Amino acid sequence: MKKWHDTNNEYTDDELLYCLTNIKNGIMFISGPTMCGKTAMLKRLQSKFEFEMNIITEEYLVNYILGSCSWSSVTQEEFYENTSEIILGIEDIDFLAGKEATQKEAGRVLNQLCDAGKKIIITGISLKRKIPFLIQMTRKNTVGFFVYM
């Protein structure tokens, strides 16, 4: 059976799903190798519990949210209001590896979303190694970090 780990415990898929359903306002990271079930976990969460949930990719985050042309105050307000009442899932954030400035800006935006009451689940591969600046920037809002073992 798959095992997910945080600092102190290990979890089955069902136990992790339970943790995700009870997420507090803030950011939860799910890190694991390709094909370990990260995306399936987000989709299962979305369908099983019928959450108001948007799942976006890192490309959408960078192009739409962080894009200097489109990230006006009007767009920000619309995004905060329309980006899921409950959870925003962001997949493949590890593609920000090596992009320090982008990670920092993404961290700033994600912190704003948390301050606006959003709950965010971020997935990717080797997150602690690939996106250290984003993790550092969002530390105050991080409520969980799960790693597939």
Side-chain angles (χ1 to χ4, degrees):
M1 190 175 275
K2 293 180 183 174
K3 294 294 181 188
W4 299 90
H5 298 262
D6 65 8
T7 312
N8 303 312
N9 303 301
E10 63 179 42
Y11 303 86
T12 65
D13 281 354
D14 288 338
E15 291 166 337
L16 176 59
L17 188 64
Y18 177 80
C19 290
L20 296 176
T21 61
N22 294 303
I23 186 175
K24 299 175 185 174
N25 285 357
I27 300 169
M28 193 171 285
F29 290 92
I30 302 175
S31 182
T34 302
M35 301 300 292
C36 73
K38 301 178 301 289
T39 300
M41 186 65 65
L42 286 180
K43 294 198 182 285
R44 191 171 163 205
L45 178 69
Q46 187 178 34
S47 66
K48 182 174 182 179
F49 296 96
E50 298 176 6
F51 280 131
E52 288 281 331
M53 181 175 177
N54 290 335
I55 299 174
I56 65 172
T57 63
E58 170 270 339
E59 291 92 352
Y60 182 88
L61 177 71
V62 171
N63 292 335
Y64 181 73
I65 300 170
L66 302 181
S68 59
C69 296
S70 62
W71 191 237
S72 66
S73 60
V74 173
T75 306
Q76 290 177 38
E77 190 173 304
E78 177 184 305
F79 185 79
Y80 292 141
E81 290 174 5
N82 295 329
T83 304
S84 176
E85 294 304 315
I86 300 185
I87 295 179
L88 171 64
I90 304 173
E91 293 189 292
D92 301 327
I93 199 83
D94 51 289
F95 285 103
L96 293 180
K99 301 173 184 169
E100 180 180 342
T102 304
Q103 288 181 44
K104 288 180 178 179
E105 181 63 13
R108 186 187 66 73
V109 169
L110 294 174
N111 282 328
Q112 287 178 347
L113 288 169
C114 289
D115 293 344
K118 302 300 179 191
K119 300 174 185 185
I120 302 167
I121 300 172
I122 296 176
T123 69
I125 300 168
S126 302
L127 295 181
K128 287 184 179 179
R129 181 174 55 83
K130 290 187 174 183
I131 57 161
F133 300 105
L134 177 63
I135 292 170
Q136 178 70 23
M137 289 288 297
T138 58
R139 188 175 60 225
K140 73 173 184 142
N141 285 309
T142 298
V143 295
F145 202 107
F146 295 90
V147 178
Y148 179 84
M149 299 281 194

